[in-house]
């Protein structure tokens, strides 16, 4: 916690100007919308142009130090930074170099602009606990020790804490899991993996089958609603109890896919059948023509198929055959008590996707029946 915060504990509660790095992603887009909804001045940075709900877009190449310094001069009044930018790389070393660079260039660009930065929110995923190589201790708690394996999240946190101590701002780190929500052209999105996969299966007259492994079908899993995470982000940047801390943020419940997929089938007007492992990254790109047919027939939002869904991302999550559970007790004790029923929220999000013409509408008929009851 910074000396500035200790001198004036009410200062972070004042509204200010928010900069959201990665505003084109599911997390960043919802965070920017939520801050704007609550009356903050908001600017969002993304690689592609994004139309925000009450916030302005900046085109800045955060991978370039000089471009960052030049582009962020316009954000000289920034008091809060929400950092959700991410660059994929093939090795852990390259991943760290790229993503630490994005964060460093953003912080340095704001510093060069003379921004009165008061708080930075940084996001981490399950890789912080070791979800990427396989099994990890559950329920995962924020106090769990780091892994010996190099991890770009650790490097980002070290940079952020060092910079915060030197420059006198506060920070909060949020750790969601399996974020579900919609953002245009953001393929790393579990919601869209399920929704598009199901829509294509329905169009082909096939029942809804879980395409992952049996182990993943039966394991405990959790998700984080993007709207809930956005509300946690505003809380983290405004409440003194969150300063300097790390919090797991999920919907607050756990489920097994075995319990949810029959409910998905009922909602989507489909028959349900036993799981059948299908490598989505191999099978689904070959069905691009089926999706394009649905887009044309139902006048759906014309998003390029390659930008619509990350099938490799879906394969990873739906083939993770181990319990993935994080404790959210620390966040509740600190004051963030928001929670959701994940099954109900998935169905609500499907309805929203249908209403916004992102996926085809559900047409229930006498041909749709619950022929399989697990």
């Amino acid at each position: 916690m910074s000396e500035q915060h200790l001198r004036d504990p009410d200062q972070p509660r004042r509204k200010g100007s928010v900069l959201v790095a990665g505003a084109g992603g599911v997390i960043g887009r919802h965070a920017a919308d939520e801050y704007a909804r609550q009356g903050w001045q908001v600017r969002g940075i993304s690689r592609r142009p994004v139309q925000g709900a009450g916030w302005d877009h900046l085109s800045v190449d955060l991978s370039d130090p000089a471009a960052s310094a030049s582009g962020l001069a316009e954000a000289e009044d920034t008091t809060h930074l929400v950092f959700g930018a991410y660059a994929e790389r093939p090795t852990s070393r390259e991943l760290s170099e790229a993503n630490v660079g994005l964060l460093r260039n953003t912080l340095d660009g704001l510093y060069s602009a003379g921004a009165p930065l008061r708080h930075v929110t940084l996001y981490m995923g399950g890789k912080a606990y070791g979800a990427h190589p396989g099994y990890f201790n559950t329920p995962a708690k924020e106090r769990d020790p780091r892994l010996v394996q190099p991890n770009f999240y650790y490097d980002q946190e070290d940079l952020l804490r060092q910079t915060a101590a030197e420059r006198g701002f506060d920070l909060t780190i949020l750790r969601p899991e399996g974020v579900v929500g919609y953002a245009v052209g953001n393929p790393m999105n579990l919601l869209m993996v399920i929704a598009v996969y199901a829509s294509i299966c329905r169009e082909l007259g096939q029942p809804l089958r879980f395409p992952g492994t049996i182990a993943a079908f039966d394991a405990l899993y959790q998700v984080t609603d993007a709207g809930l995470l956005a509300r946690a982000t505003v809380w983290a940047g405004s409440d003194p109890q969150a300063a300097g801390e790390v919090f797991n943020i999920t919907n607050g419940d756990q489920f097994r896919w075995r319990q949810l997929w029959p409910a998905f089938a009922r909602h989507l007007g489909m028959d349900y059948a036993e799981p059948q492992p299908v490598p989505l990254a191999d099978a689904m790109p070959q069905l691009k023509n089926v999706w394009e047919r649905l887009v044309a027939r139902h006048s759906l939002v014309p998003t390029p198929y390659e930008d619509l869904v990350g099938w490799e991302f879906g394969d990873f999550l739906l083939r993770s055959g181990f319990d993935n559970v994080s404790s959210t007790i620390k966040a509740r004790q600190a004051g963030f008590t928001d929670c959701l029923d994940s099954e109900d929220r998935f169905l609500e999000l499907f309805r929203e996707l249908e209403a916004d013409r992102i996926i085809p509408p559900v047409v229930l008929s006498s041909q749709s029946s619950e022929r399989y009851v697990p």
Side-chain angles (χ1 to χ4, degrees):
M1 189 177 295
S2 70
E3 292 182 3
Q4 182 181 18
H5 178 79
L6 290 171
R7 287 196 303 268
D8 186 3
D10 292 327
Q11 180 175 343
R13 295 183 181 276
R14 298 201 311 268
K15 292 181 180 179
S17 179
V18 182
L19 179 69
V20 180
V26 176
I27 293 175
R29 176 61 181 270
H30 282 78
D33 286 350
E34 181 64 22
Y35 263 114
R37 188 186 69 79
Q38 295 197 26
W40 294 63
Q41 179 182 354
V42 182
R43 298 184 183 92
I45 300 174
S46 65
R47 287 173 292 183
R48 60 170 62 89
V50 177
Q51 261 193 329
W55 51 272
D56 299 322
H57 178 261
L58 292 179
S59 294
V60 182
D61 182 2
L62 296 178
S63 66
D64 185 319
S68 298
S70 174
L72 293 177
E74 187 175 337
E76 62 181 356
D77 59 347
T78 297
T79 60
H80 290 64
L81 170 64
V82 175
F83 193 83
Y86 175 76
E88 182 63 54
R89 294 293 185 272
T91 69
S92 60
R93 180 186 295 275
E94 292 173 299
L95 198 63
S96 182
E97 290 175 350
N99 287 283
V100 171
L102 292 175
L103 178 58
R104 178 184 292 110
N105 293 342
T106 304
L107 293 171
D108 289 349
L110 290 174
Y111 188 70
S112 297
L117 193 62
R118 300 203 304 261
H119 188 277
V120 176
T121 301
L122 175 67
Y123 301 107
M124 294 183 176
K127 289 181 179 179
Y129 294 119
H132 47 314
Y135 168 84
F136 65 97
N137 182 55
T138 58
K141 297 184 178 181
E142 296 88 346
R143 62 174 178 260
D144 289 348
R146 289 182 173 184
L147 307 178
V148 68
Q149 181 181 13
N151 191 312
F152 79 93
Y153 285 138
Y154 305 158
D155 297 336
Q156 283 188 319
E157 180 178 357
D158 290 344
L159 170 65
L160 183 58
R161 289 192 183 278
Q162 178 182 348
T163 307
E166 293 172 351
R167 299 178 185 173
F169 59 80
D170 285 322
L171 65 95
T172 305
I173 296 171
L174 303 182
R175 291 177 176 171
E177 172 59 36
V179 178
V180 292
Y182 177 71
V184 178
N186 184 263
M188 292 182 65
N189 188 333
L190 181 59
L191 175 69
M192 292 303 295
V193 169
I194 297 171
V196 174
Y197 167 76
S199 297
I200 289 176
C201 288
R202 187 175 59 198
E203 173 68 7
L204 294 175
Q206 298 177 359
L208 185 64
R209 302 181 181 95
F210 181 76
T213 62
I214 290 296
F217 194 53
D218 287 323
L220 283 173
Y221 192 54
Q222 60 188 350
V223 294
T224 305
D225 177 72
L228 182 147
L229 181 58
R231 295 189 291 276
T233 300
V234 177
W235 164 78
S238 305
D239 195 316
Q241 293 295 319
E245 300 294 338
V246 179
F247 296 104
N248 295 326
I249 302 293
T250 71
N251 287 359
D253 62 356
Q254 296 87 43
F255 56 83
R256 304 180 199 278
W257 289 119
R258 177 179 293 279
Q259 299 163 336
L260 264 61
W261 281 70
F264 294 166
R266 287 191 293 269
H267 173 85
L268 296 169
M270 300 175 67
D271 291 331
Y272 176 76
E274 285 282 358
Q276 176 62 57
V278 173
L280 297 176
D282 176 60
M284 301 310 292
Q286 301 180 55
L287 298 173
K288 176 180 178 180
N289 63 316
V290 179
W291 179 256
E292 291 179 341
R293 187 166 74 221
L294 289 170
V295 172
R297 183 190 309 152
H298 298 285
S299 300
L300 303 182
V301 174
T303 303
Y305 191 65
E306 295 76 13
D307 295 336
L308 189 69
V309 180
W311 298 115
E312 295 86 353
F313 178 71
D315 277 333
F316 173 75
L317 291 183
L318 300 180
R319 290 172 177 268
S320 297
F322 50 85
D323 289 350
N324 187 321
V325 178
S326 301
S327 171
T328 57
I329 294 299
K330 182 179 177 182
R332 295 180 200 176
Q333 291 176 333
F336 184 76
T337 59
D338 205 341
C339 61
L340 292 169
D341 181 291
S342 293
E343 178 179 336
D344 291 345
R345 186 57 181 149
F346 264 112
L347 302 186
E348 289 172 359
L349 287 168
F350 288 150
R351 285 191 285 270
E352 290 177 14
L353 292 177
E354 294 157 19
D356 293 340
R357 294 188 176 276
I358 306 301
I359 63 172
V362 175
V363 180
L364 298 175
S365 70
S366 58
Q367 301 299 315
S368 298
S369 61
E370 296 178 38
R371 299 176 186 173
Y372 177 88
V373 178

